[in-house]
Each structure stands twice: as structure tokens, then as C-alpha cells.
Amino acid sequence: MFDVDVDLRKASPMFGQWFGLELLADNKPQLWIPPEFAHAFAVISDRAQFLCKPTVCNAPEQERAILWNDPAVGID
């Protein structure tokens, strides 16, 4: 799968910048995504298993969305 994270911390010099990483079954990587980051992924194989452990459980008032092709973010 391809994992993407976007810095949404307004005071950060990295605000609005994104980081992408291909997660492969052979190396079983783990990521920690800090608070105030957007997180998304796309499965790029026939199947995938994904486990997510959020720091805040079920907080709909904190949920936001970014369109994957938003030109302001520029995700490839």
C-alpha cells in the first residue's frame, strides 16, 4: 500500500507538506503519525492487511478531509 501523511500544524514550517511511503509485506513497516497530521492510504496490490491504532478513539468532531488531488497539497 501507499501511505500518505500531511502536516496540518498551522505553526509548523512543514505545514501543508506531505510525506508518502510504500508499505510492503516483506519488511512489515510500522509508522507513527503525529497528532494534527492527515493520514490516508491506497492499496496498490491485489490485497492488503492494515492495522491502525488511533490515539483518539471515535472523535467525529475532529475529523476532516483533504481531497487526494488537492493542488494546494500536491500529492503525487
Side-chain angles (χ1 to χ4, degrees):
M1 43 194 294
F2 184 68
D3 189 277
V4 176
D5 309 292
V6 181
D7 187 351
L8 299 179
R9 301 168 297 169
K10 291 185 179 180
S12 170
M14 303 292 286
F15 176 75
Q17 294 185 27
W18 66 275
F19 170 79
L21 179 65
E22 194 171 316
L23 306 176
L24 305 171
D26 59 344
N27 63 0
K28 297 179 178 47
Q30 295 182 27
L31 295 176
W32 177 72
I33 295 112
E36 299 185 57
F37 273 63
H39 174 245
F41 62 89
V43 175
I44 54 176
S45 62
D46 292 334
R47 60 182 236 181
Q49 291 182 344
F50 179 76
L51 177 63
C52 181
K53 185 176 180 181
T55 55
V56 177
C57 295
N58 196 18
E61 70 279 359
Q62 294 183 4
E63 292 182 11
R64 303 290 185 272
I66 298 172
L67 191 58
W68 69 270
N69 61 354
D70 185 327
V73 180
I75 297 171
D76 292 335

